[in-house]
Amino acid sequence: MCVAEKITQTPTPPVGPHRRWRRAWRAAPLVIAAGVTLFLQLKAVPSLSDVPHVPRAWVAFFDTHDFLKNALGFGGLAAAVQFASFGMRPPASGPVLWRTGGLMVTVAALELAQVFLPERSCDWHDIVAGCLGIAISCFFWIGMVQARNPRGS
């Protein structure tokens, strides 16, 4: 039996408990970011002034810079999504692009859902801001994938 046959016949070890915990810790930022994003997108009043534990300087800045607030918020959500799935499969930029497209559809859906809230409205500027934040995050993660797998995808 040659060495190549031994390598292909070697069984893969079962997933240990430490790997399961690693996956859970990777998913934790995703759950937190998704919860915060949903809360901020679907609350009745768009201002951050009624959200507890947010520094007043941040409230004043982000209430006057709505575009940046949306770009950073959805960019952070996209980073959490990519981080949660990073390392689960062999690195490739294709899945990153699929997740990014799904997040961009989510931005549009959340913005359209604001039509049904009393003091909110759908604004295409917010959709552009969210998609821009997601795109920047996508480019960051594609760079990380390419650095991790220099042979290409």
Side-chain angles (χ1 to χ4, degrees):
M1 187 182 285
C2 70
V3 176
E5 290 175 358
K6 284 184 181 180
I7 291 173
T8 58
Q9 292 178 355
T10 306
T12 58
V15 176
H18 65 283
R19 292 194 69 183
R20 288 188 197 119
W21 281 109
R22 189 179 323 157
R23 288 181 184 165
W25 282 111
R26 270 201 184 140
L30 171 63
V31 171
I32 293 168
V36 168
T37 303
L38 284 173
F39 170 73
L40 292 176
Q41 282 290 312
L42 299 176
K43 68 187 196 97
V45 180
S47 173
L48 289 177
S49 59
D50 62 340
V51 179
H53 308 297
V54 177
R56 293 292 153 215
W58 289 17
V59 169
F61 180 79
F62 284 123
D63 281 348
T64 57
H65 297 90
D66 189 50
F67 191 90
L68 186 60
K69 176 174 61 173
N70 282 306
L72 287 176
F74 281 108
L77 176 64
V81 166
Q82 305 295 359
F83 178 75
S85 61
F86 197 65
M88 300 242 178
R89 294 184 180 164
S93 58
V96 173
L97 295 175
W98 278 106
R99 287 188 293 271
T100 301
L103 284 167
M104 288 182 178
V105 169
T106 303
V107 169
L110 284 172
E111 197 62 34
L112 289 173
Q114 291 179 3
V115 170
F116 302 105
L117 297 173
E119 294 184 30
R120 302 294 293 264
S121 63
C122 179
D123 185 14
W124 68 270
H125 292 100
D126 291 343
I127 296 174
V128 170
C131 290
L132 181 66
I134 290 169
I136 291 170
S137 179
C138 171
F139 288 129
F140 170 76
W141 284 101
I142 286 178
M144 294 231 355
V145 164
Q146 296 301 324
R148 191 170 174 205
N149 184 19
R151 293 177 286 147
S153 357

